[in-house]
Amino acid sequence: MTRQMEGMFGVITAQTLLGTIGLCVLESGADPVTVAFYRCAIGGLALAFYCQYRGDLARLARLSPRILAMAVASGVLMAGNWVLFFEGIQRTGIAVATITFHIQPFLVVLLGAFVFREKLHAVTMLWIGVALAGLALATGLSGMELAADRSYVIGLASTLAAAFLYSGVTIIAKGLTGISAPQLATVQFATGSVMLAAFYPASPLSLAASQWGWLAVIGLVHTGGVYVVLYKALPKLTTPVIAVLLFLYPASAVLVDAVAYGHLISLLQLAGLGLIILASLAVTLRWGVRRVTPAEGPQIIPPASR
């Protein structure tokens, strides 16, 4: 198997697995804070062992205070992102929440323009407009009946807020040097565990054995396992290939929601997803924008945090 094929197989596996996380969240029967806390704790332990295996764990102590502070800040955003995303899943369903979350690349562009003073091109704003139109179709925001469903609106707002926080994680990662991706994730998960412990997640003894099973899958498979697979796979692929393969995640989530719960998205919602995917590819690959430096544009980082 070639290096590129290995990378593609890894990303395809990881993205398909990520599409099932919503199922595990719902089947666990736990509240969003509890799910996020145990994801941080279990996934963090798994990655800590991975860092120890790589020899990265001891080097965490040698990080500069600035880098460590930024890593901790990204961990706060990461934990908040998970809580809000899981809230969105419980209120809107797996498919709608996952599709809505994928407005995130456009938020990265807007935040990047503010933080790094990156130039916003007219064609980029056009693609962002296309994505927003797709979001309206995919979520049902264009329907008048939506006003009566307060829980659904709260779910959409929670998911959009999660996407915004995750964009902050991406921006921080873009400006960080001197720390490896596994080290960064380990700090993020440790931070998230401490932070979420203050919000009273369910105690270990109060969780049923079946709940522990679902939470273990989320922590070990969707977090620790997927992260490790992506760390090894992404460097073997070019940005265009990665940008395309990352959308296996929402496609998998839509399929899981349909098979497990019978939630079929409408043709309008499917068209909205198509517009979001098209616009995201356009922004990530900078279609219509003259390339000045390779550093411009959103950075693709392992999406296991979603």
Side-chain angles (χ1 to χ4, degrees):
M1 186 181 293
T2 65
R3 175 181 172 84
Q4 184 178 33
M5 286 299 296
E6 288 177 354
M8 290 180 64
F9 179 77
V11 173
I12 289 170
T13 300
Q15 294 302 101
T16 303
L17 283 173
L18 281 175
T20 66
I21 191 172
L23 173 69
C24 296
V25 170
L26 294 178
E27 291 299 315
S28 74
D31 63 273
V33 170
T34 296
V35 178
F37 170 75
Y38 285 102
R39 185 180 189 186
C40 281
I42 298 172
L45 283 173
L47 277 182
F49 281 116
Y50 179 66
C51 280
Q52 178 65 26
Y53 170 76
R54 285 168 46 97
D56 283 344
L57 199 59
R59 288 195 285 268
L60 282 173
R62 296 198 290 270
L63 294 177
S64 71
R66 173 186 169 276
I67 292 177
L68 188 59
M70 292 180 68
V72 168
S74 69
V76 171
L77 296 179
M78 182 85 77
N81 149 64
W82 283 346
V83 172
L84 290 168
F85 181 51
F86 296 155
E87 182 73 26
I89 287 176
Q90 292 185 353
R91 289 180 179 270
T92 67
I94 299 170
V96 170
T98 306
I99 293 171
T100 302
F101 189 90
H102 279 77
I103 201 74
Q104 178 265 338
F106 312 103
L107 298 178
V108 172
V109 171
L110 295 175
L111 278 176
F114 177 77
V115 175
F116 298 115
R117 299 293 188 268
E118 293 175 347
K119 183 178 179 181
L120 278 178
H121 300 274
V123 69
T124 301
M125 296 305 297
L126 174 63
W127 286 119
I128 291 176
V130 170
L132 292 176
L135 180 65
L137 292 175
T139 61
L141 284 173
S142 56
M144 296 299 293
E145 72 280 357
L146 186 61
D149 195 341
R150 182 171 177 269
S151 178
Y152 189 83
V153 173
I154 292 174
L156 290 179
S158 297
T159 307
L160 289 172
F164 180 79
L165 293 185
Y166 184 68
S167 300
V169 175
T170 305
I171 291 295
I172 291 175
K174 187 175 181 179
L176 272 179
T177 57
I179 182 172
S180 69
Q183 286 177 321
L184 175 59
T186 300
V187 173
Q188 289 171 335
F189 296 162
T191 301
S193 298
V194 173
M195 170 184 147
L196 293 174
F199 289 89
Y200 304 105
S203 68
L205 294 179
S206 68
L207 295 171
S210 60
Q211 289 180 297
W212 268 113
W214 292 111
L215 294 174
V217 171
I218 292 172
L220 294 175
V221 177
H222 294 109
T223 309
V226 165
Y227 259 80
V228 171
V229 170
L230 288 174
Y231 290 147
K232 294 181 177 180
L234 291 177
K236 300 175 183 178
L237 300 173
T238 61
T239 297
V241 174
I242 293 172
V244 172
L245 292 180
L246 290 185
F247 283 100
L248 287 172
Y249 174 20
S252 175
V254 169
L255 181 61
V256 167
D257 207 11
V259 173
Y261 301 109
H263 296 161
L264 300 176
I265 64 173
S266 67
L267 290 178
L268 277 179
Q269 288 177 303
L270 189 60
L273 174 59
L275 289 177
I276 292 173
I277 291 175
L278 176 66
S280 183
L281 288 174
V283 169
T284 302
L285 302 180
R286 299 174 59 78
W287 292 348
V289 177
R290 182 173 62 88
R291 297 181 183 273
V292 179
T293 63
E296 292 187 38
Q299 180 187 16
I300 296 176
I301 62 174
S305 54
R306 299 175 187 178

